[in-house]
Amino acid sequence: MKTLVNRQFDFMGKRRIAFAISAVLLVASIVSLLFQQLNLGLDFTGGTLVEVRYTVAPSLDAIRQVLEQAGFRDVSVQTFGASTEVLIRLQQAFEPDVGEQVVALLRADGDTVELVRAEFVGAQVGEQLRDQSGLGLLVALGVVMLYVAFRFQYKFAIGAVLALFHDVIVVVGIFSLFQFDFDLTVMAALLAVIGYSLNDTIVVYDRIRETIRTSRIDDMPAIFNEAINLTLSRTLATSGTTLLVLMALLLLGGDMIHYFAIALILGVVVGTFSSIYVAAALLIAVKLERKDLIPPKKEELEEGEEELP
């Protein structure tokens, strides 16, 4: 057994403020999703995709402006692999000569442009992708709940799953609020956020369980503060190094993974916050006690009482 050491940060003492912040984020996200909805990309809505190749890296803004002036609507332009490979997404019905039309417009400024492909993504395919992606998220959360309940205790599973729901809803809500493009790369980022946040939560939970078993007090907030402070340096180092890589992807990765990087950056920040102030603090709300992890010892036989065979 050990006594708890006073730490610098009283995380649990600020949990009500953190809960208020989380509630505001969740409400804003849900309201935005209900009334503004997501700005779904071509992967989900269907439309036309045109890939062209330049000899010299072009200006994406100039390409977008030329196409919009020609009457094309909802134009998305991004590099695809090399800086000379450009992927153009048009949210409109497919026409057999749409590729040639686009190339003719782009060649009007004297640029050398080659058509690589032009194809149509049907709305039915987009709907299937949307449904299957949503189902994948639900399955992932269900598996997480079973895993945490088996490894720890069912109260831990409740906290972990609610924290993951919190992370996903907040990230998706921010995409809805600012009308960022939501496509399959962003959906993949959400699954990565679930994995990252769960890993961070498991580390905190493992330390909480160990601290409960080795401490001499029953003050859960004090125990949680001890456990979180013991993992704080690890959490900050992991989050900080991950954010450095993601910032590099955001700034240097090109348009193809721009929103993928944004989703992951938001997920890391929100996931780090939720590991402390949602996943851990919820254990107090569900009244986690020492006896939930340490079964009561068998009563010792009274002096002189013989043990039954």
Side-chain angles (χ1 to χ4, degrees), residues 54-223:
Y54 282 76
T55 55
V56 180
S59 168
L60 301 184
D61 290 335
I63 295 174
R64 187 181 299 107
Q65 185 176 2
V66 167
L67 295 177
E68 288 177 347
Q69 289 176 350
F72 289 100
R73 55 188 176 82
D74 298 324
V75 179
S76 173
V77 183
Q78 59 192 53
T79 53
F80 184 71
S83 59
T84 55
E85 301 278 345
V86 177
L87 198 63
I88 301 169
R89 301 169 186 262
L90 309 170
Q91 291 187 353
Q92 63 185 57
F94 181 77
E95 299 176 2
D97 61 343
V98 66
E100 287 76 8
Q101 293 178 18
V102 169
V103 170
L105 288 170
L106 299 180
R107 286 174 177 169
D109 293 335
D111 294 326
T112 303
V113 186
E114 175 189 353
L115 176 63
V116 178
R117 61 185 169 118
E119 57 189 42
F120 177 67
V121 178
Q124 184 176 2
V125 175
E127 184 178 350
Q128 291 176 350
L129 289 172
R130 184 180 64 244
D131 295 342
Q132 291 173 359
S133 300
L135 180 61
L137 282 176
L138 292 176
V139 170
L141 292 173
V143 172
V144 164
M145 189 168 188
L146 292 175
Y147 165 74
V148 178
F150 176 78
R151 178 171 174 178
F152 295 92
Q153 201 256 358
Y154 79 92
K155 292 181 180 179
F156 285 87
I158 294 173
V161 171
L162 289 178
L164 293 180
F165 267 117
H166 168 276
D167 299 344
V168 171
I169 291 174
V170 170
V171 173
V172 173
I174 292 174
F175 267 74
S176 171
L177 185 63
F178 293 99
Q179 287 294 284
F180 294 150
D181 288 341
F182 190 91
D183 53 21
L184 282 180
T185 62
V186 177
M187 183 63 72
L190 288 179
L191 292 173
V193 166
I194 289 177
Y196 177 90
S197 181
L198 176 64
N199 177 70
D200 213 23
T201 298
I202 292 299
V203 171
V204 174
Y205 275 1
D206 202 44
R207 182 63 68 175
I208 287 175
R209 179 176 60 178
E210 179 184 343
T211 308
I212 289 175
R213 288 175 172 174
T214 57
S215 64
R216 297 176 179 174
I217 66 172
D218 292 321
D219 186 350
M220 288 296 117
I223 291 175

Side-chain angles (χ1 to χ4, degrees), residues 219-288:
D219 186 350
M220 288 296 117
I223 291 175
F224 287 8
N225 275 332
E226 173 78 4
I228 294 170
N229 277 282
L230 288 172
T231 60
L232 185 60
S233 59
R234 177 263 173 203
T235 298
L236 294 179
T238 303
S239 301
T241 53
T242 304
L243 286 173
L244 286 176
V245 174
L246 294 176
M247 288 301 298
L249 286 177
L250 178 65
L251 297 175
L252 305 174
D255 291 342
M256 192 69 180
I257 59 173
H258 181 75
Y259 291 111
F260 173 82
I262 289 178
L264 283 177
I265 290 172
L266 292 173
V268 169
V269 174
V270 176
T272 302
F273 173 83
S274 71
S275 296
I276 297 173
Y277 280 120
V278 179
L282 279 175
L283 295 179
I284 297 177
V286 298
K287 302 187 184 303
L288 179 73

